[in-house]
Amino acid sequence: MLPELLQGVDTGGLLVIQDSASYSGRHLLQSFINAALNRYIKKCIVTVGYLFKTNKLIYIYTYLPSPCCEFREEAVHVLGFEVSEEELKDGLRGSPVQRLHFHNAYTDPLGWTDHPAFTVHQFCLGELTRLVKQTSHSKPATLVIDSLSWILRHVSTPDVCRTLQQLRKGGAVRSIIGLLHADMHQRGTVGSVCHSATSVITVEPAMRGDEAVAKITKRSKSGKVIQDEEIFRIKDDLTVVVQSKSSKGAKKADSEEQETDPTANLTFNLRLSDTEREAKQKLALPFVFSKEKKTALLHSGPGSGRIHYEPDANDDYDQEDPDDDLDV
């Protein structure tokens, strides 16, 4: 699933890379930036043909070969709070950084100087839309937030989640990718941000030093939730290589062995043997009628008695007051 996410987050999607002090997710974030910079959104020409022998229309999709005019290049906007522009671009050597737009929130994130480039208090729909549109024009843009933890330290969690949702639905950006340091916040804050995301990647260290474990949760538009675990490695050129799938079955078996049996030290037996279970299944309950018994009760056979009543002439039955003959 990790290579699928690297190929492109769905339109209107929010991907959160969740890391901790034990393993940094910055290298994986750089891999997503590198993949977005080297990605083109293809346009194609549809040619309509007609087959006279079968009397059917055929559609031929031809992808245009020239990326200069008909391929749409994807712009990447980075809100940099934790690393400088030079450090970020130094790690993206070989990538087309001319489509990378770095918004400097590293030098003055709180606006202490007279003319700050970008501050944490500008994290709102209007300011972010203006930043994206003044540089990307009509190009589809991916917004990378490095990191969400810096913003959550100075902006309330509801405001951050609201802005992320507005950006997803506003159309100014195609997708959003954010880095979140989970061990810096309370569990409720992390849960609120991850609940707003369409995909969450939690990275943890693996057994080998150059490998890591990615726990992925992806929510589709239909509401289906897909979870997966993969062991991956990041090469020098920032390409991600998935080594293997993490074995969930072995972990579940180990956890079941470690769980204690609550019925182990009781003075009475709560389990049934095979003979007792078979006798229980054959037992007929008193108020559960079989099919034959229901038929015998509902349909009277020959020789059964019946009561026939013929009204007498003295019977004065008042339908409005059926208890008229009672002395009450």
Side-chain angles (χ1 to χ4, degrees):
M1 191 183 298
L2 193 55
E4 177 186 345
L5 292 174
L6 282 165
Q7 291 176 4
V9 183
D10 296 337
T11 302
L14 169 60
L15 171 66
V16 174
I17 301 175
Q18 182 177 323
D19 68 353
S20 61
S22 59
Y23 187 86
S24 175
R26 186 168 305 281
H27 294 295
L28 185 59
L29 180 69
Q30 290 178 341
S31 297
F32 273 93
I33 297 175
N34 178 67
L37 291 174
N38 289 280
R39 184 166 57 238
Y40 294 97
I41 300 178
K42 297 181 180 179
K43 287 184 177 180
C44 64
I45 297 177
V46 182
T47 305
V48 180
Y50 189 78
L51 296 179
F52 292 96
K53 293 184 179 180
T54 59
N55 296 326
K56 292 183 179 180
L57 286 173
I58 60 172
Y59 297 88
I60 304 173
Y61 293 84
T62 306
Y63 285 99
L64 300 171
S66 175
C68 59
C69 56
E70 295 293 338
F71 277 53
R72 292 192 297 166
E73 298 176 341
E74 185 172 350
V76 179
H77 292 257
V78 178
L79 297 182
F81 287 93
E82 296 189 358
V83 297
S84 62
E85 183 176 4
E86 293 77 14
E87 184 178 351
L88 177 66
K89 291 184 176 180
D90 185 63
L92 297 172
R93 289 181 180 178
S95 302
V97 292
Q98 64 273 11
R99 288 188 279 112
L100 176 67
H101 304 280
F102 186 85
H103 304 286
N104 186 10
Y106 177 73
T107 55
D108 187 14
L110 298 178
W112 290 349
T113 59
D114 294 334
H115 302 286
F118 187 84
T119 66
V120 69
H121 304 293
Q122 292 178 272
F123 187 77
C124 59
L125 178 64
E127 289 292 333
L128 294 174
T129 303
R130 180 185 61 82
L131 282 177
V132 172
K133 287 188 175 181
Q134 74 180 5
T135 51
S136 296
H137 304 292
S138 61
K139 293 181 181 179
T142 296
L143 178 64
V144 179
I145 304 174
D146 183 16
S147 68
L148 285 168
S149 294
W150 225 104
I151 301 173
L152 288 168
R153 289 179 60 188
H154 302 278
V155 182
S156 65
T157 304
D159 290 341
V160 173
C161 295
R162 186 183 304 110
T163 301
L164 292 174
Q165 290 293 333
Q166 290 173 346
L167 284 171
R168 288 180 53 196
K169 299 178 181 180
V173 296
R174 194 182 71 86
S175 59
I176 306 171
I177 303 173
L179 181 63
L180 178 65
H181 308 310
D183 50 358
M184 290 182 58
H185 310 282
Q186 296 181 355
R187 186 177 301 178
T189 300
V190 176
S192 299
V193 176
C194 293
H195 183 74
S196 303
T198 56
S199 300
V200 179
I201 303 177
T202 303
V203 290
E204 297 176 353
M207 297 299 293
R208 296 179 56 181
D210 59 341
E211 296 178 350
V213 178
K215 297 181 179 180
I216 306 170
T217 302
K218 183 179 180 181
R219 299 180 180 88
S220 61
K221 293 182 179 179
S222 62
K224 183 179 179 180
V225 178
I226 304 173
Q227 293 183 337
D228 197 6
E229 286 189 19
E230 295 175 344
I231 299 175
F232 69 96
R233 178 173 59 89
I234 301 177
K235 299 169 65 176
D236 294 336
D237 58 352
L238 295 178
T239 56
V240 177
V241 179
V242 177
Q243 303 291 102
S244 62
K245 297 275 187 181
S246 179
S247 57
K248 294 183 179 180
K251 293 182 179 179
K252 288 183 179 179
D254 294 339
S255 61
E256 289 177 358
E257 290 178 0
Q258 293 176 1
E259 290 180 357
T260 58
D261 187 3
T263 63
N265 299 321
L266 295 178
T267 57
F268 51 89
N269 185 19
L270 290 178
R271 302 180 185 275
L272 294 177
S273 63
D274 295 339
T275 306
E276 293 172 338
R277 190 177 292 106
E278 185 179 354
K280 177 184 175 183
Q281 293 175 354
K282 291 181 179 180
L283 180 65
L285 298 179
F287 299 105
V288 177
F289 297 134
S290 63
K291 187 176 181 181
E292 292 79 7
K293 192 171 184 179
K294 287 181 180 179
T295 305
L297 291 174
L298 295 177
H299 302 282
S300 58
S304 59
R306 295 186 180 183
I307 300 175
H308 296 275
Y309 174 74
E310 295 181 1
D312 191 76
N314 296 324
D315 291 341
D316 185 13
Y317 179 73
D318 189 358
Q319 194 168 4
E320 295 182 358
D321 187 7
D323 300 329
D324 184 48
D325 58 333
L326 299 178
D327 189 14
V328 293

